[in-house]
Every structure is written in C-alpha cells, then in structure tokens.
Amino acid sequence: MCLPWNRSCPPATDGTINDLIDGRLVCGAGGGGFLQVILKKGVSREDVHNRLKAVFQDSPVDVWDCELVW
C-alpha cells in the first residue's frame, strides 16, 4: 500500500503507524511523493486508514493500493 508523504505530513516517520508496519520506503523525487509500507500480519488497510484519519484529521493523508513491478 502507498501513503502520500511530504515533509509537513510524514505519517510513518513520526511513529504514527510504526506498530502497524514491518517495513517502509519513501518513494518519489525531491523528498515528497509516497511512502510505501508493508503491513504486519493481521493488520488491514482499513486499520492504517483509521489511524491516519484519527491522527491527521483534516490532512489529505490516506491509503492507496499499489503493486510492486519487477
């Protein structure tokens, strides 16, 4: 899954979802773009969405599905 990410709203670098993820990678040029994460077993996309909305309320931070292309 991917999350929008920028310096003013860094959802997984501030500890907000650390307990929900096993890995992360900031993607995109110039320090903005998306944060790609790997969820812990048993954690759903909805769990992350709910946490982000609870913490960042009026921010455009949200969750999108994505695929890794090899």
Side-chain angles (χ1 to χ4, degrees):
M1 89 169 42
C2 294
L3 310 170
W5 184 91
N6 62 51
R7 285 179 173 76
S8 64
C9 191
T13 58
D14 73 347
T16 299
I17 60 171
N18 282 353
D19 61 318
L20 303 176
I21 63 174
D22 275 333
R24 62 180 163 232
L25 177 67
V26 176
C27 308
F34 295 88
L35 182 71
Q36 193 166 37
V37 299
I38 298 171
L39 299 179
K40 289 187 176 185
K41 189 173 184 171
V43 173
S44 72
R45 163 184 202 284
E46 190 69 21
D47 294 334
V48 176
H49 168 81
N50 290 338
R51 174 76 57 85
L52 291 172
K53 289 304 175 184
V55 173
F56 295 104
Q57 298 158 4
D58 293 329
S59 169
V61 172
D62 208 343
V63 178
W64 288 270
D65 291 325
C66 66
E67 292 182 29
L68 298 176
V69 179
W70 299 91

